[in-house]
Amino acid sequence: MNRINESVPQEFILLGFSDRPWLELPLFVVFLISYILTILGNLAIIIVSRLDCKLHTPMYFFLTNLSLLDLCYTTSTVPQMLVNIRSIRKVISYGGCVAQLFIFLALGSTECLLLAVMSFDRFVAICRPLHYSVIMHQRLCLQLAAMSWVSGFSNSVLQSTLTLQMPLCGHNEVDHFFCEVPALLRLSCVDTTANEAELFFISVLFLLIPVTLILISYAFIVQAVLRIQSVEGRRKAFGTCGSHLIVVSLFYGTAIYMYLQPPSPASKDRGKMVSLFYGIITPMLNPLIYTLRNKDVKGAFKRLIARILLIKKYPSDRPYRTEVHKAIQSPLLL
């Protein structure tokens, strides 16, 4: 094959919905608002989880990891998307496309495993409450988080390498908003059956197996919750687990649709919208879901705001330190 035809392009054209220019302004507004809310919401969860000692638990350690992951996840794609939507030339450099592909795939794979780890944490907390602190000790939490991150990035190295080795024969128009494996495979001028089979196998490992384990753990959780005599305890358990289940449904449902369905021309536009959902909308909704449905996080936000307001009111008066401390610990703020 002619080596010129296999040469690496200097840049890629991201088509997105360029054939529907009337959609560009509404999409720009939606993406911008979603990105701002994602940054603010996830940063707020990270800050309040670190500053409030009541949230120094395994559950909020993993939630902090999820928020950090979502911050990086959206930042890897959304800024470039916003620039391209308002530009005449909707391009991304080859190096930028490689970086976007690697980071997006690494963080997406990490989130698949991290959500499964979070469900295991909830399983132990509800089904083995007396042994929770013994089982979910700090070392195990660090190991589980590290395993998720290392596995996600290892998968990205493999997938990115295999995808970028495919000859493009001069093709550089990506029918997508950003550089993602299925869209780049469609550019190749050779048979991609082996790559698609490998992508399907990896997707089963990172999508179907974790979601199956999550469903099994929640089957045990539901049984344990139904045995709780206290109505308040049952409500709290369902509230905490309900937040996690909503996040799991949103993320895994859209990702499974994107990566485990057979490729077809008719599904291209639907695939774009689905990838936008798990790439932009889900990271934006995660902080809202975990804060609006969680009394502990809402209480931590109230305590943090009270601390800031009282310290501003009495910036240097030592006699008021006790008053500040008492106000923060007030039952009204719990």
Side-chain angles (χ1 to χ4, degrees), residues 38-96:
T38 299
I39 297 295
L40 295 177
N42 285 290
L43 273 179
I45 286 182
I46 292 172
I47 292 170
V48 77
S49 297
R50 299 311 303 162
L51 294 182
D52 196 297
C53 60
K54 292 181 181 293
L55 300 185
H56 291 176
T57 63
M59 175 181 172
Y60 295 102
F61 168 73
F62 294 127
L63 182 56
T64 300
N65 273 262
L66 180 64
S67 294
L68 175 62
L69 191 153
D70 283 340
L71 275 176
C72 302
Y73 192 50
T74 52
T75 301
S76 68
T77 57
V78 177
Q80 181 69 48
M81 288 165 58
L82 292 173
V83 171
N84 283 352
I85 286 176
R86 302 307 294 166
S87 301
I88 297 175
R89 296 189 70 242
K90 306 177 188 304
V91 298
I92 184 173
S93 67
Y94 180 81

Side-chain angles (χ1 to χ4, degrees), residues 34-182:
S34 299
Y35 184 57
I36 293 172
L37 291 177
T38 299
I39 297 295
L40 295 177
N42 285 290
L43 273 179
I45 286 182
I46 292 172
I47 292 170
V48 77
S49 297
R50 299 311 303 162
L51 294 182
D52 196 297
C53 60
K54 292 181 181 293
L55 300 185
H56 291 176
T57 63
M59 175 181 172
Y60 295 102
F61 168 73
F62 294 127
L63 182 56
T64 300
N65 273 262
L66 180 64
S67 294
L68 175 62
L69 191 153
D70 283 340
L71 275 176
C72 302
Y73 192 50
T74 52
T75 301
S76 68
T77 57
V78 177
Q80 181 69 48
M81 288 165 58
L82 292 173
V83 171
N84 283 352
I85 286 176
R86 302 307 294 166
S87 301
I88 297 175
R89 296 189 70 242
K90 306 177 188 304
V91 298
I92 184 173
S93 67
Y94 180 81
C97 185
V98 171
Q100 194 177 79
L101 173 69
F102 175 78
I103 295 171
F104 188 81
L105 187 56
L107 297 176
S109 302
T110 302
E111 183 159 350
C112 291
L113 300 179
L114 188 60
L115 289 173
V117 169
M118 292 173 72
S119 73
F120 173 71
D121 172 69
R122 292 299 83 208
F123 166 77
V124 177
I126 294 174
C127 299
R128 301 288 185 273
L130 299 179
H131 302 92
Y132 180 69
S133 58
V134 177
I135 298 173
M136 298 302 296
H137 52 79
Q138 185 179 21
R139 183 179 177 185
L140 178 62
C141 293
L142 291 172
Q143 289 173 340
L144 289 173
M147 178 207 68
S148 300
W149 286 89
V150 171
S151 300
F153 275 77
S154 300
N155 174 54
S156 183
V157 170
L158 174 64
Q159 292 280 359
S160 300
T161 302
L162 292 175
T163 301
L164 295 170
Q165 284 179 342
M166 301 297 291
L168 303 180
C169 303
H171 302 158
N172 70 335
E173 291 189 348
V174 181
D175 192 10
H176 210 335
F177 289 97
F178 52 89
C179 295
E180 195 174 15
V181 174

Side-chain angles (χ1 to χ4, degrees), residues 202-215:
I202 294 294
S203 299
V204 169
L205 291 180
F206 279 83
L207 290 171
L208 283 188
I209 292 179
V211 80
T212 301
L213 294 175
I214 290 172
L215 293 175

